Amino acid sequence: AMTKQTKPKSLWKPKNIEKEKGPLKKSAKVQKNYGKNQFLLPQGLFLSKTYISNKLKPTERDYYKSAGIIPFAVQSSREGEHLSILVGKEIRKKREVIGHFCGKRELKDKSSLHTAWREMWEESGKILNQKARNNFFKHALENKLQAVWLLDSKQVIYAYKVSLSWGNDLIEAFNAVQKSNKERKGHGKKEFINESSVDKSKTSIRSILWVNLEDIGKMKNLGYALNSIKFNKK
């Protein structure tokens, strides 16, 4: 009697791996889609309208899509003290634009704070050190950060007060500013910066700079956030 021939198991690949029984590993595409579904809002839950708070509400805490940071500091000039925010400059559609440090949520992110810091770290060249990270999370624990929830983009923005030297050191390292020997004299190790080279593999930002808060109050995507945050000079 003739027996039915079957393909060797080594050559057999299921078309739909989800339907197969047993501990088969999901494809990368399936894993990616599965991860995205974790962030989808369940039926019956609704996201809040845009608001400002020291802490996110539970729904926004669990179902945000992206997060970022707006570092700000007090600067002095002849006209007196003013607030400046740290932004990145990049090229989009052949135009030079500036914006805050932000990006999409990833599966490994434990919270919007983790997303915000990871994006800040990646977009600024991965040179902010562990001490800088610890200080950011310490501010969060002490309720010193202001969280801005933006409903339209499902984004959380954290206003984070830093020292002027924190921003200046980051600018110098990222922008590779060359200082003269006279300017370097007495300039010690940067407190919050790794002395290694800048890694720009995860960023489209070309340079980092301080911008006077009053000059960009009407900036696209940041207008509401900047006008609503109560930046504290103290």
Side-chain angles (χ1 to χ4, degrees):
M2 294 182 64
T3 57
K4 188 177 179 180
Q5 292 185 347
T6 57
K7 292 182 179 180
K9 286 186 178 181
S10 59
L11 299 178
W12 176 77
K13 292 182 180 179
K15 291 183 178 179
N16 189 344
I17 203 166
E18 294 263 54
K19 292 182 180 180
E20 295 302 316
K21 297 179 180 180
L24 293 175
K25 189 176 180 181
K26 293 179 181 179
S27 66
K29 186 176 181 180
V30 171
Q31 286 179 328
K32 187 177 181 181
N33 291 334
Y34 176 76
K36 285 182 178 179
N37 290 338
Q38 289 185 343
F39 306 146
L40 293 178
L41 193 66
Q43 200 169 19
L45 283 180
F46 300 93
L47 293 169
S48 303
K49 293 181 179 180
T50 298
Y51 64 85
I52 313 286
S53 177
N54 287 334
K55 288 187 178 181
L56 289 176
K57 297 175 183 178
T59 308
E60 288 73 65
R61 179 194 64 203
D62 295 337
Y63 297 103
Y64 72 96
K65 283 193 173 180
S66 60
I69 297 175
I70 302 178
F72 71 95
V74 179
Q75 289 189 327
S76 299
S77 62
R78 292 180 180 177
E79 291 75 26
E81 290 185 341
H82 66 272
L83 288 169
S84 294
I85 67 171
L86 201 65
V87 296
K89 185 183 292 185
E90 56 186 314
I91 304 296
R92 291 183 184 176
K93 297 181 180 179
K94 298 181 180 181
R95 294 181 62 184
E96 196 173 72
V97 297
I98 58 174
H100 64 301
F101 304 92
C102 70
K104 292 181 180 179
R105 179 181 189 175
E106 293 184 1
L107 279 173
K108 62 185 177 181
D109 297 331
K110 296 178 181 179
S111 69
S112 58
L113 287 166
H114 289 83
T115 302
W117 182 259
R118 177 181 53 75
E119 288 294 337
M120 177 81 211
W121 178 70
E122 289 178 352
E123 293 190 354
S124 60
K126 300 182 179 182
I127 51 178
L128 287 166
N129 61 22
Q130 187 65 34
K131 185 175 182 179
R133 183 183 187 277
N134 292 343
N135 275 17
F136 173 73
F137 282 93
K138 182 181 177 182
H139 272 65
L141 288 172
E142 296 174 351
N143 292 325
K144 291 182 179 179
L145 299 177
Q146 282 196 70
V148 183
W149 165 250
L150 301 176
L151 176 60
D152 289 346
S153 57
K154 297 180 177 61
Q155 182 179 126
V156 185
I157 302 175
Y158 289 100
Y160 176 39
K161 186 179 180 182
V162 298
S163 64
L164 201 56
S165 61
W166 188 100
N168 289 341
D169 287 347
L170 182 60
I171 288 171
E172 180 183 329
F174 187 89
N175 298 353
V177 177
Q178 298 297 321
K179 288 182 173 287
S180 65
N181 290 332
K182 185 178 180 180
E183 288 174 315
R184 287 176 185 171
K185 190 176 181 180
H187 187 75
K189 185 178 179 181
K190 298 177 177 64
E191 186 178 6
F192 299 107
I193 302 295
N194 287 324
E195 296 298 326
S196 57
S197 59
V198 178
D199 179 356
K200 295 188 178 182
S201 62
K202 290 276 188 176
T203 182
S204 58
I205 291 174
R206 296 194 172 188
S207 62
I208 296 174
L209 65 156
W210 287 112
V211 178
N212 191 323
L213 184 62
E214 296 177 358
D215 295 338
I216 57 173
K218 297 179 180 179
M219 193 171 134
K220 189 178 180 182
N221 299 328
L222 280 180
Y224 177 83
L226 293 176
N227 292 328
S228 302
I229 295 173
K230 296 178 181 178
F231 293 98
N232 189 357
K233 288 185 179 181
K234 295 181 180 180

